[in-house]
């Protein structure tokens, strides 16, 4: 009787260890898959924005500024395409890819903003404001979303 209880306890311990191990492996694989999907989505978004920049530049006269914007957008697009099509084998490579894509995403958003400012200047004939200004002197307003009653201004977030 004592021997069968001892075997049962060993079986329970082995089954628990196997379950924990399987859970850990599945969780690690799921996290890695999610990171890989994140890389793909981010790369696709960068490519789309860079292509929109390149298409919009075709409507502008060829200047050094537009050539620089086109070159920088193409660089971001090529890097994103390369990273998005490759499979990162190690966690370190995956982290490096995510870091590079976030940096390129920031660059391509800045390039899009610059191009939008150039196009606005060309359309209106007036220089577009290049600085970001936050409203001052106004009271925070309630959110327009029905699901939250929190203030949405950055100064109220923390």
């Amino acid at each position: 009787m004592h021997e069968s209880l001892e075997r049962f306890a060993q079986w329970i311990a082995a089954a628990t260890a196997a379950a924990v191990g399987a859970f850990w492996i599945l969780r690690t694989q799921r996290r890695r898959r999610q990171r890989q999907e994140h890389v793909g989505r981010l790369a696709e978004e960068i490519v789309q924005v860079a292509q929109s920049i390149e298409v919009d530049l075709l409507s502008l006269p060829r200047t050094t500024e537009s050539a620089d914007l086109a070159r920088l957008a193409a660089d971001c697009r090529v890097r994103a395409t390369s990273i998005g099509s490759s499979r990162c084998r190690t966690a370190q490579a995956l982290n490096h890819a995510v870091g590079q894509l976030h940096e390129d995403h920031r660059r391509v958003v800045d390039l899009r903003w610059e191009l939008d400012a150039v196009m606005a200047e060309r359309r209106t004939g007036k220089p577009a404001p290049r600085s970001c200004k936050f409203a001052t002197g106004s009271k925070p307003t309630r959110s327009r979303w029905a699901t939250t009653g929190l203030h949405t201004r950055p100064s109220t977030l923390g």
Side-chain angles (χ1 to χ4, degrees), residues 3 10 12 17-18 21 23 30-31 34 56 83-84 95 103 110 116 119 122 142-143:
E3 190 175 302
Q10 288 174 348
I12 292 291
F23 173 76
R30 189 181 91 230
R31 248 196 242 152
Q34 287 173 341
D56 286 347
I83 291 172
N95 287 336
E103 185 64 27
D110 289 346
D116 287 344
M119 291 177 79
R122 186 166 184 249
R142 294 188 60 84
S143 172

Side-chain angles (χ1 to χ4, degrees), residues 88-144:
C88 300
R89 300 286 182 225
T90 64
Q92 184 179 5
L94 191 58
N95 287 336
H96 178 71
V98 169
Q100 180 65 51
L101 285 173
H102 278 287
E103 185 64 27
D104 280 341
H105 188 269
R106 184 194 57 78
R107 278 189 194 116
V108 83
V109 167
D110 289 346
L111 292 173
R112 179 77 249 176
W113 183 80
E114 280 292 322
L115 179 59
D116 287 344
V118 168
M119 291 177 79
E121 285 175 10
R122 186 166 184 249
R123 188 175 51 250
T124 63
K126 299 178 190 175
R130 305 271 177 150
S131 62
C132 181
K133 296 179 184 175
F134 292 100
T136 58
S138 62
K139 295 180 181 176
T141 58
R142 294 188 60 84
S143 172
R144 294 175 191 219

